[in-house]
Amino acid sequence: MMPTNEKQTIDFYAEPSVNYLYIVFKLIPHRSSANYLAQAGQIGQEMRRKFPVSGVAPLFDTRHDNPDRPPQNVIDSHGFDRYFRIDLQPATPANLINQMLNFIAQWEWIEIVYPSPQPASAALPYHGADVLSLEENSVRQPRVIKADEPIPDFTPLQYYTFSSAYKVPGFQLGGIGISALATFDGYRGDGITIISHEIDAWSTAHVNLPPERVLVAGAVDIDSHDTKSVGIMAARDVGFGIRGIASRAKVGYSDSPMSDLLSLYNYLYPGDVIQIGIQTTGGSITGCQGPLCYIPMESQQAWFDGISAFTAKGVHVIQAAGNGNVDLDHAAFARKFDRTFRDSGAIIVGAADPAVARRATFSTYGSRVDSCSWGWNVVTTTLFGANADLLNRENASYTRSYSGTSSANPIVAGAVASLSGIAKAYGIALSPLRARNILTQTGTYLTGGDSAIVGTQPDLAQAIYQL
């Protein structure tokens, strides 16, 4: 039976030109997971009769024989066993997806339903192309050295690590001031595990990067994006190349589905850090049309619940705001990004233009954005030929133009890992909410009042005293 439901269960509708992977729905709470499976199965049967779908499957693997399932109390409190997915055929039209959403929403068992877009790396859209395409066409000529020549020291070019008070000529924004913590035990992320949650993984063959992924969830495909992000956070101090902000932290990788990330729940501990370097589309709202309306992943309820589970455990989650120039305070998002009603505990990170110390024009913004950092001209590691405009050599390539919230997010994640390492070394409790408040309150303000909508840049020299 499908009684008509008057509740507002459809979170958002599908938009044309967006690639949706599946439909997600969450059932209202009952007492037994068996009931959820039965209810979802009945919805699946009716869906197959009306639409070209294969059926319904759980979004998260919460079976009792799964060793990676979170504890039952976590599953119950966040409703992970109430989530299901309906896979969509490639290029399913938006109008057909919306018919499916309306059909599912009729069932009295539905708490929420929405289409899940394919995640995108938090790289900068630029006239329809992302930052990787922009960077590949860079006019800069990379320095090429012979295989037997030593790799240069590029740390003097890591401006984003400098003191907040020091402005490199041509830039109005200083750095996060990692050197101010050098006298404190743990300041390089000692004892902390960072999970880089991106679409592709970093190259463990790079001479400057962690040679081991201490935790892995999902498929591992090597690409330059995560190679750049991990360089910022945790490039090893080997005497050449660059040095990551939390260079002694352990690093793991999770593929982009939240189900993969959640499978690591049992293996992370309070003080560990998750860097979410992907973004999702916000659909069609005022001033932003089409698939480039990029906003944080937690706009989707399954992501919000997953992130909330980690932060409730004491794991710091650092999440890219996205590069859609979207106002998260817009009425279209209602209470979705209002901490009064909905707070995952994550740090949401915007991008700053260091040349003018203002919000980068592409960065998504709003009062929910907590921190920001360099969104242009970031020096880090990369793959051979992949925007290797600083040095192009197999397993030893470097770039000076990593950009977007892609670069800002790992800078803030590295800063959090540094503070968390110190807190662990000295037995100080540093919850995700406390870390967020410290960074926001002690950070460097952008000019023009932009920090009100894109946050402050971490200033570790100030943060350590409040810690």
Side-chain angles (χ1 to χ4, degrees):
M1 296 178 60
M2 296 179 300
T4 300
N5 188 353
E6 298 297 331
K7 303 195 309 292
Q8 296 296 316
T9 55
I10 299 176
D11 193 25
F12 57 90
Y13 283 99
E15 296 287 342
S17 70
V18 175
N19 181 24
Y20 294 96
L21 300 178
Y22 43 83
I23 290 173
V24 173
F25 66 85
K26 186 180 186 182
L27 300 173
I28 60 174
H30 293 299
R31 294 183 179 180
S32 169
S33 59
N35 288 342
Y36 302 142
L37 291 169
Q39 290 171 345
Q42 189 172 345
I43 293 173
Q45 281 185 336
E46 295 296 331
M47 288 289 293
R48 286 194 298 271
R49 292 174 183 171
K50 293 183 65 70
F51 302 102
V53 296
S54 58
V56 172
L59 183 64
F60 302 109
D61 186 355
T62 59
R63 296 173 299 173
H64 288 280
D65 61 351
N66 174 20
D68 297 332
R69 73 191 295 270
Q72 189 62 49
N73 66 313
V74 175
I75 293 173
D76 292 341
S77 60
H78 297 279
F80 294 129
D81 56 350
R82 296 189 278 125
Y83 275 105
F84 295 86
R85 59 184 282 173
I86 299 173
D87 290 340
L88 297 171
Q89 295 180 359
T92 301
N95 61 347
L96 180 57
I97 295 174
N98 291 335
Q99 290 178 36
M100 296 181 193
L101 296 175
N102 287 326
F103 181 81
I104 295 170
Q106 295 180 76
W107 294 75
E108 63 179 348
W109 307 322
I110 300 298
E111 180 175 301
I112 192 171
V113 59
Y114 58 87
S116 182
Q118 182 175 7
S121 291
L124 168 64
Y126 186 80
H127 300 300
D130 66 20
V131 73
L132 298 181
S133 301
L134 177 65
E135 291 174 351
E136 293 292 348
N137 295 324
S138 172
V139 297
R140 295 168 172 166
Q141 295 299 313
R143 179 178 178 184
V144 179
I145 63 175
K146 297 178 181 178
D148 59 350
E149 289 186 76
I151 296 170
D153 178 10
F154 296 124
T155 57
L157 301 179
Q158 290 183 266
Y159 305 146
Y160 55 94
T161 67
F162 290 8
S163 165
S164 63
Y166 183 73
K167 312 296 195 302
V168 176
F171 298 96
Q172 295 300 312
L173 184 64
I176 64 171
I178 183 63
S179 63
L181 307 185
T183 59
F184 294 91
D185 294 342
Y187 88 107
R188 285 293 184 180
D190 305 74
I192 303 301
T193 297
I194 300 173
I195 299 299
S196 194
H197 185 44
E198 301 218 9
I199 293 174
D200 296 298
W202 84 90
S203 171
T204 55
H206 196 291
V207 296
N208 216 172
L209 295 183
E212 177 191 11
R213 302 181 188 96
V214 295
L215 292 170
V216 174
V220 175
D221 297 310
I222 309 302
D223 192 51
S224 62
H225 194 272
D226 196 44
T227 300
K228 297 171 184 177
S229 295
V230 172
I232 291 171
M233 295 184 291
R236 295 323 193 203
D237 187 359
V238 293
F240 55 78
I242 67 168
R243 182 166 57 248
I245 297 165
S247 57
R248 292 196 287 267
K250 298 178 181 178
V251 188
Y253 170 74
S254 169
D255 200 3
S256 57
M258 171 51 75
S259 55
D260 286 340
L261 183 58
L262 191 63
S263 71
L264 297 178
Y265 181 91
N266 296 331
Y267 307 97
L268 296 178
Y269 300 93
D272 289 339
V273 174
I274 297 172
Q275 188 268 148
I276 299 181
I278 53 179
Q279 58 190 356
T280 188
T281 179
S284 178
I285 64 170
T286 299
C288 185
Q289 304 290 325
L292 297 183
C293 301
Y294 290 127
I295 59 175
M297 293 303 302
E298 72 168 48
S299 61
Q300 297 180 42
Q301 189 62 37
W303 284 82
F304 178 87
D305 285 334
I307 291 169
S308 299
F310 280 108
T311 58
K313 188 178 183 178
V315 176
H316 304 276
V317 179
I318 320 302
Q319 180 183 185
N323 303 305
N325 187 26
V326 177
D327 180 4
L328 298 181
D329 293 329
H330 191 281
F333 295 116
R335 298 175 174 181
K336 197 175 285 286
F337 294 104
D338 184 341
R339 287 196 194 94
T340 304
F341 302 98
R342 191 175 186 267
D343 187 354
S344 67
I347 296 174
I348 296 181
V349 179
D353 182 345
V356 293
R358 299 289 301 268
R359 175 183 73 92
T361 56
F362 56 79
S363 179
T364 288
Y365 60 96
S367 57
R368 177 62 182 87
V369 180
D370 309 286
S371 293
C372 65
S373 195
W374 287 50
W376 295 106
N377 299 106
V378 169
V379 170
T380 186
T381 47
T382 190
L383 295 183
F384 179 75
N387 180 231
D389 55 8
L390 195 58
L391 176 63
N392 192 26
R393 194 165 95 180
E394 191 70 30
N395 297 326
S397 294
Y398 299 84
T399 181
R400 54 185 171 186
S401 55
Y402 195 25
S403 302
T405 49
S406 289
S407 59
N409 207 61
I411 293 173
V412 175
V416 172
S418 177
L419 284 180
S420 187
I422 294 172
K424 186 171 185 178
Y426 291 93
I428 299 171
L430 182 63
S431 69
L433 290 180
R434 187 179 180 206
R436 186 174 76 184
N437 290 337
I438 287 175
L439 289 187
T440 299
Q441 293 167 8
T442 64
T444 301
Y445 282 83
L446 303 183
T447 60
D450 283 6
S451 284
I453 58 171
V454 78
T456 60
Q457 176 173 257
D459 183 347
L460 296 178
Q462 300 299 318
I464 189 61
Y465 291 107
Q466 190 169 139
L467 175 65

